[in-house]
Amino acid sequence: MAPAAATIAVLGDDILQEVFILLPTPADLLRAALACQPFLRVARSAAFLRRFRRRHPSTCPVILGCLLYRPSKRRGASAPYLLPADLLRATHRTIEGGDFALSFLPRRGRPDGAGIPCRLLDCRNGSLLLRDGASGELAVADPLTRRWVSLPALPGGRRVGYALVPDDGDSSAFKAVCISRRAGTTELRAFLLSSAELRWDDLGGLAQQPNLAGSRAMQAKRSLYWKLMGGRHMVALNTATMELTVLALPPFLREQSFDVIEKGEDGAGKLWVLTMRGFCIEVWVGEDDGAGGLTWTLLEKSVRFRTAMQAMIGSDPFHHTPQGDVIGVAAGVVFLRSCSCLFSIHLETMKMTRLSMVEDCPSPLIYPYTIAWPLAFLNPTEQGM
């Protein structure tokens, strides 16, 4: 009988990857990876991890909570604050090990350490895209590892939108995107920077476009989306093809807050969005209509959460309670805001949790905070790419 190691070697990495991709949860992959060196080698492949994460978008990131800025009476003195999403002891240990006040960042020109005048522009897989309020300098920082990297100055133009795109295989790699408007024009231009080169590349522009609607970037399946003023359209940037386009929004989304979400590996030419209407969570899918637009179909609709919200807020059931505005969706959890209360709803169980009773932080400055999975000790490599 052939030794087990020899049998595994005969299978080869390609076959093992096809077996591992069918594992139902990240925990199952972790257990398989620790069984032997050949399994670990396959699970460490950055190419395989990208594929696995795209297949399991709701379970691979680990949700820690909401990162938000609370207003401060002292100009420039506010710093990010992490509101935990649950009461698990492991979550709190992870949070306690981080520096979410960003005190590890250099305070140029502020020897007294008074405040951290930076603005949070985006937050993905534990990394923050920040802009210094005094100098305008951009940086990407990780509060858990206390690592940060300064980004070079952007080309000319007024910056109107930003995004941070994490790498699905290597948690230290990223791309940063900036949308700018040239002075005196109606053209929007996109610039992209890779952490491997730290250089801004011009991706082209779109003429005769209104400004972005002040909302942060949404992203799914390596594409970015920004809603435009007026709510009738949004700008889309495919970071794989570098194609910049404009998509028309259906009437029911023009006045609603929503987020784009991922649905497994398939779905070329499809776009999924999640919103709340009539206190119900709705998932819609837009499919290519063959004429450059999308045909929209209601895919899922939840029970009504009005009574649960009223009970958690403590409002009179006979008085009007605003339905939840969608802040964002991450790791299978949707974050909502009604009045000044923050809520989370687990999309698999539809369990609602009140995270905070009173938050006066503007919704665009509230970000779901996740950390990448699998864990860093798997040490993803580019082997097999």
Side-chain angles (χ1 to χ4, degrees):
M1 180 180 238
T7 303
I8 293 172
V10 170
L11 290 177
D13 290 357
D14 291 343
I15 293 179
L16 287 176
Q17 287 185 6
E18 293 306 312
V19 173
F20 287 172
I21 201 68
L22 299 176
L23 292 174
T25 69
D28 294 321
L29 175 62
L30 183 59
R31 283 190 286 268
L34 297 178
C36 60
Q37 283 295 328
F39 284 10
L40 179 60
R41 182 182 67 250
V42 170
R44 291 175 67 228
S45 165
F48 171 74
L49 287 178
R50 291 187 186 99
R51 185 182 171 196
F52 191 87
R53 282 173 170 159
R54 286 194 290 269
R55 186 179 178 90
H56 302 276
S58 65
T59 55
C60 282
V62 176
I63 189 78
L64 294 189
C66 273
L67 193 66
L68 51 88
Y69 270 82
R70 284 175 169 162
S72 172
K73 294 180 180 179
R74 184 177 183 180
R75 184 178 179 183
S78 61
Y81 168 80
L82 186 66
L83 185 67
D86 58 54
L87 300 177
L88 295 178
R89 185 175 300 175
T91 299
H92 281 281
R93 283 201 300 266
T94 302
I95 294 173
E96 290 169 359
D99 182 1
F100 292 93
L102 306 180
S103 61
F104 59 92
L105 292 178
R107 304 182 180 185
R108 297 184 178 91
R110 301 184 296 279
D112 60 349
I116 305 176
C118 61
R119 180 182 175 185
L120 179 61
L121 304 174
D122 204 2
C123 172
R124 302 286 170 177
N125 272 13
S127 295
L128 314 182
L129 178 60
L130 303 161
R131 184 182 66 201
D132 188 284
S135 66
E137 179 182 357
L138 298 178
V140 173
D142 185 337
L144 295 179
T145 63
R146 293 175 170 80
R147 296 175 181 172
W148 66 278
V149 57
S150 179
L151 306 186
L154 281 154
R158 183 167 62 90
R159 291 60 161 143
V160 294
Y162 299 88
L164 186 64
V165 184
D167 187 284
D168 288 326
D170 183 354
S171 59
S172 65
F174 64 86
K175 293 177 182 176
V177 175
C178 174
I179 303 293
S180 70
R181 181 179 292 282
R182 288 185 174 180
T185 73
T186 58
E187 181 187 44
L188 295 177
R189 297 198 70 82
F191 296 88
L192 183 140
L193 173 144
S194 169
S195 58
E197 298 181 354
L198 292 181
R199 181 188 70 243
W200 290 102
D201 293 323
D202 190 339
L203 302 182
L206 294 168
Q208 303 296 320
Q209 298 300 325
N211 278 328
L212 304 187
S215 59
R216 61 176 176 269
M218 301 172 283
Q219 60 179 279
K221 293 186 179 295
R222 296 189 290 176
S223 289
L224 300 167
Y225 304 89
W226 292 266
K227 203 171 181 179
L228 293 172
M229 292 290 291
R232 300 176 65 88
H233 298 85
M234 63 180 179
V235 172
L237 173 64
N238 186 320
T239 62
T241 64
M242 305 304 172
E243 182 182 9
L244 191 65
T245 57
V246 175
L247 298 176
L249 289 173
F252 66 86
L253 281 181
R254 293 174 185 174
E255 302 298 328
Q256 300 288 334
S257 58
F258 63 90
D259 198 5
V260 297
I261 61 175
E262 297 193 2
K263 283 281 194 178
E265 287 188 290
D266 300 326
K270 296 181 181 180
L271 175 65
W272 287 271
V273 300
L274 182 147
T275 188
M276 174 171 269
R277 297 199 306 165
F279 292 91
C280 297
I281 297 291
E282 294 183 351
V283 176
W284 291 77
V285 57
E287 301 185 68
D288 191 346
D289 62 5
L294 296 173
T295 300
W296 293 90
T297 305
L298 179 61
L299 193 65
E300 300 171 9
K301 185 173 183 177
S302 74
V303 298
R304 284 168 56 89
F305 285 95
R306 180 176 182 177
T307 302
M309 279 189 176
Q310 288 175 330
M312 291 183 180
I313 295 174
S315 61
D316 188 329
F318 295 101
H319 290 171
H320 174 67
T321 299
Q323 72 173 8
D325 288 329
V326 175
I327 292 173
V329 182
V333 177
V334 56
F335 293 89
L336 305 163
R337 181 176 191 161
S338 180
C339 299
S340 59
C341 295
L342 294 181
F343 301 91
S344 67
I345 298 177
H346 194 287
L347 292 176
E348 183 176 347
T349 63
M350 287 298 164
K351 178 184 177 182
M352 172 181 277
T353 303
R354 191 188 71 199
L355 301 179
S356 179
M357 190 65 182
V358 179
E359 289 297 344
D360 52 1
C361 175
S363 294
L365 295 181
I366 302 176
Y367 292 80
Y369 186 82
T370 63
I371 56 175
W373 197 102
L375 302 175
F377 76 82
L378 282 180
N379 187 25
T381 71
E382 294 301 316
Q383 183 177 355
M385 295 189 68

